Amino acid sequence: MTRFAAAPPELTQTTIIKKDVGRMLCRGVVREKESGKPLARVVREAASLRWAWVDHSNGNSYLLSGQTDGGYTAVNLTTGEIRSHCSASEDPGVSFGWDGICPSLDGDRLAVFGWMLHSETTEAVCVLLDFQKPDALPYPELTKWRFGNAPGRFGESDSGWRDNETFVYLSGDCHRKRDGELFDLLGEELEDASEIGIRIERVILRPGREPEVELVSER
């Protein structure tokens, strides 16, 4: 039985600008809905707070959130314990920052969209994580595949968990037609829109299996 069984808690967010260090931080506060009593606070180094709510089969409820560029936080709302993991502390050259979280139907797995940060490059990926033991961080990685450079595909109506073993999402790539190279949406000036191709793929992820990639459309 959770201690907020009478009424589920609420998450409120406050954005704070830290001018002294040049970073933007978000603070999430979980409160009991009826009393307003704070249950937990989470701080994220970003302009917005990414989070997911999971009522787990172990009887506890969890608030999951991205933390730093290479970490995440799990708040056990039943016990009040807060645990964090930062992959950057293990390997300074590679880290994975969470930016979108989608629990499976039974709550035992997570599909996480985020940014794989290498020493000199950034790659968008979707990762399936084992969430059977939510109080034991870090969560084991089950499989992953890249995410396209065309924004706005994650979380659409035809994306999500089909069952507890299958997660499906759309990946969109913008590329230069003349050579097939991915188009840098931020670093390249667009002179002729007709020279830019868009390829949409459907990606099917299952634990322990190679991703299945299907072409949906190309123009």
Side-chain angles (χ1 to χ4, degrees):
M1 178 69 66
T2 63
R3 61 180 178 181
F4 52 81
E10 296 179 326
L11 177 69
T12 57
Q13 178 181 326
T14 302
T15 300
I16 307 170
I17 306 297
K18 301 285 287 187
K19 295 182 179 180
D20 55 335
V21 293
R23 294 183 301 175
M24 181 174 289
L25 303 180
C26 290
R27 181 182 63 190
V29 181
V30 184
R31 303 178 184 274
E32 284 185 329
K33 191 169 184 178
E34 292 183 343
S35 68
K37 177 184 176 181
L39 297 179
R41 292 177 173 85
V42 177
V43 176
R44 172 176 164 83
E45 290 185 74
S48 59
L49 191 65
R50 299 287 189 264
W51 59 277
W53 197 283
V54 183
D55 292 319
H56 199 268
S57 57
N58 66 6
N60 298 335
S61 295
Y62 295 86
L63 176 72
L64 303 173
S65 175
Q67 186 190 37
T68 64
D69 285 341
Y72 50 92
T73 295
V75 180
N76 187 325
L77 293 167
T78 306
T79 65
E81 295 175 291
I82 302 176
R83 296 176 174 86
S84 297
H85 171 72
C86 185
S87 57
S89 62
E90 298 176 355
D91 185 348
V94 180
S95 61
F96 178 58
W98 292 24
D99 198 49
I101 310 165
C102 186
S104 62
L105 304 178
D106 62 4
D108 283 347
R109 295 185 175 90
L110 303 174
V112 180
F113 164 66
W115 304 95
M116 191 67 68
L117 308 175
H118 303 275
S119 298
E120 299 180 354
T121 61
T122 301
E123 179 186 16
V125 297
C126 184
V127 180
L128 294 192
L129 299 176
D130 189 331
F131 194 59
Q132 295 184 74
K133 299 179 179 179
D135 294 305
L137 280 65
Y139 302 132
E141 181 180 302
L142 301 173
T143 188
K144 68 181 177 186
W145 189 247
R146 65 176 178 79
F147 204 84
N149 64 354
R153 309 307 302 180
F154 190 78
E156 292 193 354
S157 58
D158 52 356
S159 299
W161 288 93
R162 295 294 183 265
D163 52 51
N164 292 317
E165 297 284 331
T166 308
F167 184 76
V168 180
Y169 68 96
L170 295 182
S171 174
D173 284 335
C174 292
H175 58 278
R176 294 193 300 262
K177 290 183 178 180
R178 64 177 182 271
D179 55 15
E181 290 294 322
L182 293 182
F183 184 74
D184 187 342
L185 296 176
L186 299 178
E188 298 184 35
E189 294 184 4
L190 182 60
E191 296 182 357
D192 186 353
S194 66
E195 293 301 313
I196 301 300
I198 299 178
R199 179 173 54 251
I200 305 299
E201 297 174 334
R202 179 178 293 107
V203 181
I204 303 173
L205 297 181
R206 296 184 177 92
R209 296 173 58 175
E210 289 295 320
E212 300 177 27
V213 183
E214 305 171 349
L215 181 64
V216 175
S217 64
E218 185 170 16
R219 64 180 189 272

